């Protein structure tokens, strides 16, 4: 098994009402996005990579919806397509993004 290490990149964002306070989410304008949709452009630019360059992703799974929003927010699939992306086996061992 070989591992390729590319340029390092990281990004952090805490938009208005980021969920750090207990009631923040009650005031979100869009419940179909999480932090990844706000930081992905900066993340990919800093890393010098794009979603198409990633072979394996480890996505934080505090709730099932977070994985869906993160797959979409990071550009691994389009908005509203995460459920189908997962059902098609893309995130399974041997899939396009295990």
């Amino acid at each position: 098994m070989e591992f390729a290490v590319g340029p390092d990149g990281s990004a952090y964002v805490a938009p208005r009402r980021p969920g750090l306070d207990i009631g923040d989410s009650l005031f979100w304008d869009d419940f179909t996005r999480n932090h990844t949709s706000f930081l992905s452009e900066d993340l990919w630019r800093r890393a010098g990579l794009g979603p198409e360059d990633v072979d394996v992703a480890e996505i934080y799974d505090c709730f099932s919806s977070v994985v869906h929003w993160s797959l979409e927010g990071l550009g691994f699939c389009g908005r509203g397509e995460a459920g189908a992306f997962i059902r098609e086996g893309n995130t399974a061992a041997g899939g396009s993004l295990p």
Side-chain angles (χ1 to χ4, degrees):
M1 182 179 290
E2 294 182 16
F3 293 92
V5 178
D8 292 336
S10 63
Y12 174 81
V13 66
R16 190 169 155 243
R17 300 182 187 118
L20 299 174
D21 292 319
I22 189 98
D24 281 357
S25 62
L26 298 174
F27 301 102
W28 287 353
D29 296 326
D30 185 350
F31 286 97
T32 67
R33 293 182 158 188
N34 69 2
H35 64 287
T36 58
S37 64
F38 298 104
L39 64 74
S40 63
E41 184 178 321
D42 197 31
L43 171 70
W44 295 126
R45 182 184 51 75
R46 288 180 185 198
L49 301 168
E52 66 281 353
D53 299 311
V54 176
D55 297 318
V56 176
E58 182 175 345
I59 296 176
Y60 179 57
D61 182 12
C62 57
F63 297 101
S64 299
S65 58
V66 170
V67 175
H68 291 170
W69 293 333
S70 295
L71 287 168
E72 294 173 5
L74 292 169
F76 294 119
C77 58
R79 289 213 44 209
E81 297 176 359
F85 185 79
I86 294 167
R87 276 192 307 276
E88 293 166 1
N90 290 295
T91 60
S96 65
L97 189 68

